[in-house]
């Protein structure tokens, strides 16, 4: 999170000779190590055998790690093959120190209660050793050690000799390729990293600001793969494709392939370099403007171009395969990559190989997509994105990495699928730029990404007077430039990457901005570069076209409709109504019984699972609003139920307001990033889905608002509007709008037929509702139903409203919220009669290990009361939620006689052999399990 920069922030984001070496090793074999932490379970894995093939890469499978305070041996000994790492901890191939110590049980799970406070900080104030053994079957090919992701810096040793120092290996995003050919030998080898402690105030690495309680080790470790790369006498570097797509026709594209070729030998070499481009079978249906094929060899056609080059000893040359010299690189009817919902996610593959005298020397492969991204400023000065010539409203949310930076491909894919299911099209990564697999998944699933540097830490040290980062020296500037160059080269080929934000709360100074832009330009960066996520203008990049006005704490739903502060106009890069109380299931997995009691009985008490910031460490604003609008909680269950209602209406209104205003003629909304999508740990705020991927009111409010074809109510002018995000226009729609008192009595009922709405985010106004429903209570309900030309229900949307509006005091706005001087009265919901809902379910199993449970809900009550926000959870035999589940719809409201059919899809194995059961609950629906 990064609040607006112009206002103050409280507590903010924050060689020995071989004979001697042999004697030392023999002595160590007989004497136990200095200190003996918990030993790993089972035997250590055998050293990885490195492929001998030129062009191959082998990842180190893991490490033995230990504090340098407990290892008296010199680096030359620790990094030698056969070193007896008895009593060391085992770490995976991507692991922080704390992640390894939690995994082996040395420290408790930091995600429960205040257990993280039980983990001391002093063990992480000194460097830690990471060592790994590997085997080379031969040394005819050259060997390189290639890596990034060191937090924060490291001295690197191979077979007892230093390969690099921490002055070079500094910064978690810098990329390093060390030629260790002179250091390795056939047979057993070892590599050791002496990892320096991390401090995000002092190092260009990773920090957590106010998102969560930062881990005690500050994420020191190695969090990306370390590769052993084999090459022949000639090596390939920086291979990539520059694409140019004809827009708006999309009928042709030009590809330019570039690669640096380096002669690593001591004699002249003639190299044959071949570039091959292949396409995948993506099931294109022509919705991208093509017929699903290109004319350069068909769907699975292969384009092959080749050039020979003679290089002097140690010479490097850049080869450029361009369409003028290689006409095959001009594609007709290319298969274009689209964001999800706009077309297929077509990808091509690039393979570049180098041979010398007919023998392989090196090879690289990567995927890329053909797409065009533009982001000009609209007349109001807001950044307006267009992909392949089609403008789109950015419906985004902030992405959080795991607090311990653990990588799990399956878990990440689950989260990306949930983001798409909630109707999001973009995820913003402020720092914590995830590994390659994240962007591979984003490419495949069609979700856009907005990576960028982090606010308030060392990254903004030279420019952010309210942050904690220290000023830069010359070495920092070199690290920053190297970081930008490395990330640009890594991310440029991913079609999911929409932009790079070189600043967050503050834009970089001119010297830094020039260095960043030069690095991006040198990497052939293909998409717009944004100077900051906040409203700023720089000398080199001009206006950002974005704003960072918040809010970050509770505001009422009506707030989002005003075109001021964080309301629906322009591009708001991070904003939400703050707290997001998870489901009762998740709360019981997160908090102790005493903390659960405090949660609802002490509204102003500090909450460890909210934030380390004194601005956000309580739920005071949120709890006060909850009590005044819905009534004081009567217990934990009641508190959580009211929280789900509040979060549903707030998140829904945020996305609906931005969608409604996207096509306004003046100051339209162009993008909104909900702060945030997920949490890196167990949290009470800033999340649409919780740590365990359970879904509550916040998630379903977003999912409802972002329906492809959607009917919605506007809090500011009481209009009912249909928004169509589908590409094509829709006609023959019917909207029925009804108002009810809380006892179910009808006060208004209108049907409007023959509605038509254009595609691509267009809207159509249906009617304007009267000021209120009437009756003795100020609380009333609005039901909006939209059916298509065949009479099928395509959108159902229910609001709980008040004739007494929330009154905002904009004059007292600060950087994180706007106060409310009067609250809507929704207490009438407490008298809503109990509803009777029946549920029947059937389950079908699919190939690939998934199942779908279909649930039919019916309101069988004899009265007039609806079942408000009825929730369905899939549970196992012990009433534990099966997670994740993707529901077609959920938390729905039904009037007597109405029914709805919901489907939930999940991994069959997540039931652990139990039969699926259905738990039905709701605001006024008793909980039942079937």
């Amino acid at each position: 999170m990064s609040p607006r920069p112009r206002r103050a922030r409280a507590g903010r984001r924050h060689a020995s000779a071989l004979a001697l070496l042999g004697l030392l090793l023999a002595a160590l074999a007989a004497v136990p190590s200095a200190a003996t932490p918990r030993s790993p379970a089972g035997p250590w894995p055998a050293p990885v055998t490195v492929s001998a093939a030129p062009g191959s890469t082998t990842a180190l499978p893991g490490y033995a790690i230990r504090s340098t305070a407990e290892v008296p041996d010199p680096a030359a000994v620790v990094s030698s093959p056969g070193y007896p790492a008895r009593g060391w901890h085992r770490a995976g191939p991507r692991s922080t120190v704390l992640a390894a110590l939690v995994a082996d049980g040395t420290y408790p799970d930091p995600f429960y209660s205040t257990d993280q406070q039980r983990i001391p900080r002093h063990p992480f104030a000194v460097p830690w050793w990471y060592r790994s053994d590997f085997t080379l079957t031969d040394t005819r090919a050259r060997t390189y050690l290639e890596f990034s992701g060191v937090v924060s810096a490291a001295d690197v040793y191979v077979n007892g000799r230093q390969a690099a120092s921490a002055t070079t290996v500094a910064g978690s995003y810098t990329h390093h390729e060390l030629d260790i050919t002179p250091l390795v030998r056939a047979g057993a080898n070892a590599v050791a990293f002496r990892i320096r402690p991390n401090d995000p105030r002092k190092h260009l690495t990773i920090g957590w600001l106010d998102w969560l309680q930062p881990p005690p080790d500050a994420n020191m470790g190695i969090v990306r793969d370390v590769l052993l790369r084999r090459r022949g006498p000639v090596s390939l570097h920086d291979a990539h494709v520059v694409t140019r797509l004809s827009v708006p026709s999309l009928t042709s594209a030009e590809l330019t392939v570039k690669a640096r070729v380096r002669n690593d030998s001591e004699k002249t070499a003639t190299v044959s370099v071949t570039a091959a481009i292949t396409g995948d079978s993506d099931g294109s249906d022509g919705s991208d403007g093509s017929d699903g094929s290109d004319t350069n060899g068909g769907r699975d056609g292969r384009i092959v171009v080749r050039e020979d080059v003679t290089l002097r000893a140690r010479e490097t040359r850049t080869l450029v395969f361009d369409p003028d010299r290689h006409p095959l690189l001009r594609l007709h009817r290319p298969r274009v990559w689209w964001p999800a919902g706009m077309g297929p996610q077509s990808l091509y593959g690039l393979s570049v190989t180098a041979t010398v005298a007919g023998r392989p020397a090196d090879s690289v492969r990567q995927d890329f997509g053909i797409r065009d991204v533009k982001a000009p400023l609209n007349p109001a000065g807001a950044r307006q994105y267009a992909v392949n010539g089609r403008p789109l409203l950015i419906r985004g949310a902030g992405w959080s990495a795991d607090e311990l930076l653990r990588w799990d491909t399956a878990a990440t894919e689950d989260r990306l699928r949930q983001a798409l299911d909630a109707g999001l099209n973009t995820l913003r990564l402020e720092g914590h730029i995830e590994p390659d697999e994240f962007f591979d998944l984003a490419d495949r699933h069609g979700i856009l990404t907005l990576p960028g540097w982090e606010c308030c830490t060392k990254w903004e040290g030279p420019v952010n007077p309210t942050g904690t980062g220290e000023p830069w020296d010359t070495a920092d500037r070199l690290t920053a430039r190297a970081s930008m160059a490395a990330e640009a080269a890594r991310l440029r080929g991913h079609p999911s990457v929409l932009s790079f934000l070189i600043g967050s709360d503050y834009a970089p100074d001119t010297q830094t901005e020039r260095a960043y832009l030069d690095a991006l330009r040198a990497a052939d960066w293909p998409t717009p570069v944004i100077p900051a996520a906040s409203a700023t203008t720089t000398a080199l990049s001009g206006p950002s076209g974005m704003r960072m006005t918040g809010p970050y704490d509770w505001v009422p739903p009506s707030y989002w409709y005003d075109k001021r502060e964080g309301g629906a106009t322009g591009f708001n890069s991070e904003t939400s109504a703050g707290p997001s109380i998870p489901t009762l299931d998740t709360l019981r997995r997160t908090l102790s019984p005493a903390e659960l009691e405090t949660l609802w009985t002490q509204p102003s008490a500090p909450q460890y699972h909210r934030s380390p910031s004194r601005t956000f460490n309580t739920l005071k604003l949120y709890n006060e609003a909850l009590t005044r609008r819905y009534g004081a909680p009567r217990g934990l269950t009641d508190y959580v139920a009211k929280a789900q209602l509040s979060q549903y209406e707030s998140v829904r209104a945020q996305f609906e307001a931005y969608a409604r205003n996207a096509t306004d003629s003046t100051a339209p909304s162009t993008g909104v990033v909900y702060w945030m999508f997920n949490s890196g740990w167990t949290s009470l705020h800033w999340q649409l889905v919780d740590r365990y991927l359970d879904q509550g009111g916040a998630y379903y409010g977003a999912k409802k608002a972002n329906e492809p074809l959607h009917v919605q109510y506007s809090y500011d002018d009481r209009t009912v509007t249909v928004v169509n995000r589908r590409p094509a226009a829709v006609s023959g729609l019917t909207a029925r709008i009804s108002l009810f008192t809380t006892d179910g009595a009808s006060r208004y009922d209108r049907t409007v037929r023959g509605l038509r709405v254009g595609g691509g985010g267009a809207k159509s106004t249906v009617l304007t509702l009267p000021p209120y429903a009437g009756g003795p209570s100020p609380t009333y309900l609005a039901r909006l139903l939209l059916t298509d030309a065949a009479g099928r229900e395509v959108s159902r949307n229910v609001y709980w409203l008040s004739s007494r509006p929330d009154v905002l005091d904009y004059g007292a706005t600060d950087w994180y919220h706007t106060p409310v001087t009067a609250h809507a009265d929704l207490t009438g919901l407490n008298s809503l009669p109990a509803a009777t809902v029946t549920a029947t379910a059937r389950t079908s199993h699919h190939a690939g290990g998934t199942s779908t449970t279909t649930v039919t809900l019916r309101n069988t009550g004899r009265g007039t009361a609806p079942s408000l926000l009825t929730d369905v959870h899939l549970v196992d035999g012990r009433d534990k939620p099966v997670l994740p589940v993707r529901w077609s719809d959920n938390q729905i409201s039904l009037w007597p006689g109405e029914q709805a059919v919901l489907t939930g899809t999940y991994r069959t194995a997540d039931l652990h052999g139990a039969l699926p059961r259905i738990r039905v609950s709701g605001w006024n629906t008793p909980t039942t399990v079937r």
Side-chain angles (χ1 to χ4, degrees):
M1 171 209 161
S2 319
R4 88 181 60 181
R6 68 176 183 269
R7 295 184 177 170
R9 289 180 282 193
R12 184 61 181 118
R13 9 196 203 183
H14 43 217
S16 300
L18 290 177
L20 177 59
L21 184 58
L23 291 172
L24 285 169
L25 289 174
L28 286 168
V31 178
S33 297
T36 308
R38 183 188 302 260
S39 297
W44 288 96
V48 65
T49 298
V50 178
S51 173
S56 66
T57 58
T58 303
L60 293 178
Y63 306 92
I65 71 171
R66 195 166 185 184
S67 168
T68 58
E70 300 171 338
V71 181
D73 311 310
V77 174
V78 173
S79 62
S80 295
Y83 176 79
R86 289 192 299 270
W88 288 42
H89 302 271
R90 183 184 300 174
R94 307 175 187 179
S95 179
T96 65
V97 174
L98 184 56
L101 302 187
V102 168
D104 72 8
T106 299
Y107 292 131
D109 175 12
F111 286 62
Y112 176 73
S113 186
T114 57
D115 280 0
Q116 183 164 267
Q117 293 179 320
R118 296 165 51 198
I119 301 173
R121 296 182 179 272
H122 65 83
F124 314 113
V126 298
W128 278 64
W129 280 113
Y130 275 59
R131 72 173 313 280
S132 187
D133 295 299
F134 61 94
T135 300
L136 290 179
T137 56
D138 66 71
T139 56
R140 285 175 291 180
R142 300 188 69 84
T143 304
Y144 296 83
L145 193 66
E146 187 174 338
F147 58 91
S148 63
V150 173
V151 184
S152 66
D155 302 294
V156 186
Y157 299 84
V158 175
N159 290 344
R161 297 168 63 186
Q162 187 165 10
S165 72
T167 57
T168 301
V169 181
S172 57
Y173 296 106
T174 54
H175 179 263
H176 306 277
E177 183 187 65
L178 308 180
D179 186 350
I180 60 173
T181 304
L183 306 180
V184 297
R185 52 185 177 253
N189 295 267
V191 58
F193 294 79
R194 186 164 55 200
I195 307 292
R196 303 285 182 90
N198 183 40
D199 185 339
R201 300 171 302 168
K202 300 178 180 180
H203 308 128
L204 291 169
T205 56
I206 290 169
W208 286 103
L209 313 176
D210 47 8
W211 304 352
L212 47 74
Q213 300 288 351
D217 71 338
N219 294 130
M220 68 184 299
I222 301 176
V223 297
R224 292 182 183 173
D225 285 342
V226 174
L227 304 176
L228 290 158
R229 185 182 293 275
R230 308 303 299 277
R231 293 186 170 111
V234 169
S235 56
L236 294 168
H237 304 267
D238 201 36
H240 63 285
V241 180
V242 179
T243 67
R244 189 169 70 179
L245 177 65
S246 62
V247 175
S249 69
L250 311 183
T251 56
S252 64
E254 292 187 344
L255 310 181
T256 300
V257 180
K258 296 184 179 183
R260 290 201 314 273
V261 189
R262 188 178 73 203
N263 182 2
D264 294 319
S265 72
E266 300 297 338
K267 58 184 179 180
T268 298
T270 297
V271 189
S272 180
V273 179
T274 302
I277 293 173
T278 57
D280 63 1
S281 297
D282 69 343
S284 174
D285 58 4
S287 59
D288 57 351
S290 74
D291 62 359
S293 64
D294 58 54
T295 60
N296 302 77
R299 292 187 64 85
D300 297 309
R302 191 167 184 261
I303 300 168
V304 180
V305 293
R306 192 183 76 181
E307 290 191 9
D308 294 335
V309 58
T310 299
L311 301 174
R312 299 186 303 274
R314 302 295 178 181
E315 181 185 2
T316 299
R317 192 179 303 177
T318 298
L319 288 186
V320 179
F321 300 85
D322 61 54
D324 290 338
R325 291 166 50 238
H326 300 279
L328 284 175
L329 295 174
R330 287 193 176 93
L331 304 187
H332 302 285
R333 297 199 303 273
R335 293 168 37 255
V336 176
W337 185 94
W338 288 95
M342 297 179 70
Q345 288 73 59
S346 303
L347 295 172
Y348 289 80
L350 168 69
S351 296
V352 183
T353 59
T355 59
V356 177
R359 295 181 177 179
D362 201 3
S363 64
V364 294
R365 190 194 182 284
Q366 59 187 239
D367 291 335
F368 68 95
I370 298 175
R371 57 88 174 90
D372 177 85
V373 176
K374 295 290 189 296
L377 301 179
N378 68 11
R383 193 70 62 175
Q384 173 64 72
Y385 279 92
V387 176
N388 301 331
R390 295 186 195 171
L392 76 162
L393 172 69
I394 298 301
R395 304 186 307 276
W399 175 266
S400 177
D402 174 72
E403 182 195 34
L404 304 186
L405 300 186
R406 295 167 295 192
W407 175 256
D408 186 321
T409 299
T412 301
E413 187 165 25
D414 286 339
R415 284 162 172 78
L416 293 182
R417 283 173 169 159
Q418 286 199 320
L420 289 171
D421 182 62
L424 305 180
N425 58 21
T426 304
L427 293 170
R428 180 183 166 206
L429 292 78
E430 183 194 343
H432 304 85
I433 305 176
E434 294 278 34
D436 295 340
E437 293 93 334
F438 177 90
F439 296 95
D440 291 338
L441 290 169
D443 292 344
R444 197 167 69 214
H445 288 287
I447 191 158
L448 299 164
T449 62
L450 281 171
W453 300 130
E454 186 175 277
C455 116
C456 311
T457 58
K458 181 78 169 188
W459 288 100
E460 290 187 349
V463 293
N464 189 336
T466 63
T468 62
E470 296 183 357
W472 291 7
D473 57 21
T474 300
D476 293 321
R477 292 195 175 277
L478 292 174
T479 298
R481 165 80 184 243
S483 299
M484 186 73 266
E487 288 303 285
R490 187 173 74 93
L491 300 177
R492 64 190 165 196
H494 289 283
S496 59
V497 177
L498 195 62
S499 275
F500 199 95
L501 281 67
I502 59 174
S504 182
D505 288 31
Y506 285 78
D509 58 39
T510 301
Q511 180 182 358
T512 305
E513 182 184 17
R514 182 176 289 110
Y516 284 157
L517 294 178
D518 287 347
L520 287 158
R521 192 177 300 111
D524 292 320
W525 185 257
T527 61
V529 178
I530 310 301
S534 59
T536 190
T537 299
T538 64
L540 300 179
S541 300
S544 69
M546 292 187 175
R547 60 196 180 93
M548 191 182 288
T549 50
Y552 300 96
D553 213 324
W554 187 86
V555 291
S558 58
Y559 172 93
W560 302 105
Y561 289 85
D562 290 336
K563 290 188 176 183
R564 57 190 300 180
E565 300 299 339
T569 182
F571 195 119
N572 196 338
S573 67
E574 50 182 63
T575 184
S576 76
S580 184
I581 304 301
T583 65
L584 196 55
D585 292 299
T586 292
L587 283 171
R588 286 172 172 155
R589 296 175 67 174
T590 301
L591 305 180
S592 68
E595 290 169 316
L596 290 172
E597 184 74 8
T598 298
L599 184 64
W600 73 274
T601 59
Q602 300 181 37
S604 300
Q607 298 288 341
Y608 185 69
H609 283 263
R610 188 165 185 216
S611 173
S613 163
R614 283 179 291 179
T615 303
F616 300 116
N617 70 345
T618 78
L619 293 164
K620 183 176 185 295
L621 290 173
Y622 178 82
N623 286 340
E624 287 180 355
L626 208 65
T627 294
R628 294 188 181 187
R629 299 176 88 243
Y630 288 98
R634 299 185 298 271
L636 177 63
T637 301
D638 185 56
Y639 173 80
V640 174
K642 286 172 176 171
Q644 303 314 310
L645 283 173
S646 177
Q647 289 154 197
Y648 190 107
E649 63 166 349
S650 177
V651 175
R652 176 178 59 182
Q654 179 175 336
F655 283 106
E656 286 182 340
Y658 273 83
R660 189 201 68 175
N661 291 357
T663 53
D664 285 2
S665 58
T666 59
S669 55
T670 62
V672 59
V673 177
Y674 182 91
W675 205 250
M676 304 175 67
F677 172 67
N678 63 317
S679 179
W681 81 322
T682 42
S683 179
L684 300 176
H685 75 160
W686 295 342
Q687 56 187 354
L688 292 181
V689 295
D690 65 37
R691 176 67 191 175
Y692 302 107
L693 298 185
D694 206 354
Q695 301 149 321
Y699 179 88
Y700 289 116
K703 180 177 173 69
K704 178 57 63 178
N706 292 323
E707 288 177 322
L709 185 59
H710 179 63
V711 60
Q712 64 185 60
Y713 167 79
S714 300
Y715 283 82
D716 57 342
D717 59 10
R718 304 187 309 280
T719 57
V720 173
T721 305
V722 176
V723 176
N724 179 23
R725 295 185 182 85
R726 296 172 177 173
V730 181
S731 58
L733 299 172
T734 298
R736 182 182 178 186
I737 298 91
S738 308
L739 301 181
F740 302 88
T741 60
T742 52
D743 60 5
S746 176
R747 287 290 184 266
Y748 177 93
D749 194 24
R750 296 289 186 275
T751 299
V752 179
R753 295 181 172 84
L755 293 169
R756 183 187 185 280
V757 59
K763 68 183 177 189
S764 178
T765 300
V766 179
L767 52 74
T768 300
L769 286 173
Y772 57 91
S777 170
T779 309
Y780 62 101
L781 302 171
R783 182 186 65 189
L784 282 54
L785 302 177
L786 186 69
T787 54
D788 63 14
R792 293 183 293 260
E793 184 175 290
V794 292
S795 180
R796 164 185 289 264
N797 208 353
V798 174
Y799 296 80
W800 37 105
L801 302 169
S802 176
S803 57
R804 301 175 186 172
D806 295 290
V807 180
L808 290 146
D809 183 3
Y810 282 106
T813 297
D814 54 31
W815 65 266
Y816 62 95
H817 89 305
T818 296
V820 175
T821 58
H823 293 80
D825 185 351
L826 299 172
T827 58
L829 297 177
N830 294 313
S831 61
L832 204 61
T836 303
V837 176
T838 62
T840 58
R842 57 181 175 83
T843 297
S844 56
H845 305 291
H846 316 295
T850 63
S851 296
T852 297
T853 295
T854 301
V855 181
T856 300
L857 294 177
R858 295 182 180 86
N859 185 332
T860 58
R862 297 183 178 180
T864 57
S867 59
L868 185 63
L869 221 64
T870 302
D871 176 271
V872 178
H873 259 68
L874 185 76
V875 297
D876 62 16
R878 296 175 298 168
D879 196 32
K880 302 296 184 185
V882 176
L883 299 171
V885 178
R886 293 194 305 280
W887 288 100
S888 58
D889 198 1
N890 213 327
Q891 296 202 346
I892 64 171
S893 300
L894 298 173
W895 268 254
E898 291 183 328
Q899 74 172 37
V901 179
L902 316 180
T903 58
T905 303
Y906 51 94
R907 286 184 290 264
T908 309
D910 288 343
L911 278 166
H912 303 291
L915 294 175
R917 306 177 73 199
I918 295 299
R919 183 209 294 159
V920 179
S921 61
W923 174 255
N924 60 325
T925 303
T927 300
T928 57
V929 180
R930 297 173 174 83

